[in-house]
Amino acid sequence: MANPMYGSNSFDNALDNVVGAREILHVDTTISKSDSGKLFFVDGGATGVDITLPAPELGLKFDFIVTDTSNACTIVTAGSSNIIKGFAVEAEDAGDAASSNTAGDTITFVASDAGTGARVSLECDGVYWYALGITEAADKLTVTQAG
């Protein structure tokens, strides 16, 4: 059987769908559900970057990696609802423990301390955002409630 010519293979777009879109954020941004599946590189070098999530919807997924933590960067829920649940794995923690939160509305990469490469992944079940974060230092990636 002959190999199909380039462009005639129905799976040509499969790699594009696996790799996904990437975007660098330098300024405050409200992301939309059309950004689902995207990896955001968050550059807090010049100023902190505040990111607002869209309203919860089943299947939404976002990943964030901090490239510069000179200033604090935050991820907040739409309407400040306390619907972020999850935990952060902290490499510096002597006991290899993880910090957790039962429900918050703000994820903060703490300025200068979270570490370049700190990251958080968020997935939504339609009601809650489930977070998994990784940082090099203890208590430098937090999930809190505003006010």
Side-chain angles (χ1 to χ4, degrees):
M1 176 185 263
N3 289 327
M5 295 185 61
Y6 180 77
S8 64
N9 183 343
S10 64
F11 296 104
D12 279 347
N13 293 330
L15 184 57
D16 292 337
N17 293 333
V18 170
V19 173
R22 272 83 169 118
E23 184 175 338
I24 298 172
L25 301 177
H26 299 281
V27 297
D28 296 352
T29 304
T30 299
I31 58 178
S32 68
K33 66 181 183 179
S34 65
D35 290 315
S36 184
K38 192 178 279 187
L39 170 61
F40 294 96
F41 293 97
V42 183
D43 180 358
T47 63
V49 176
D50 298 323
I51 302 159
T52 303
L53 297 168
E57 187 173 308
L58 178 63
L60 293 182
K61 180 182 186 323
F62 304 102
D63 293 298
F64 303 90
I65 297 176
V66 176
T67 60
D68 189 329
T69 59
S70 296
N71 295 284
C73 298
T74 63
I75 302 168
V76 299
T77 59
S80 296
S81 301
N82 294 322
I83 55 174
I84 298 174
K85 296 184 175 199
F87 61 92
V89 177
E90 300 155 337
E92 186 180 82
D93 229 353
D96 293 328
S99 64
S100 63
N101 186 285
T102 54
D105 61 5
T106 304
I107 296 172
T108 302
F109 293 95
V110 178
S112 301
D113 294 327
T116 299
R119 64 186 308 146
V120 67
S121 294
L122 291 166
E123 295 197 40
C124 186
D125 68 356
V127 177
Y128 292 101
W129 289 101
Y130 295 94
L132 174 58
I134 301 171
T135 183
E136 71 180 43
D139 301 321
K140 302 308 177 188
L141 177 62
T142 63
V143 179
T144 58
Q145 295 180 2

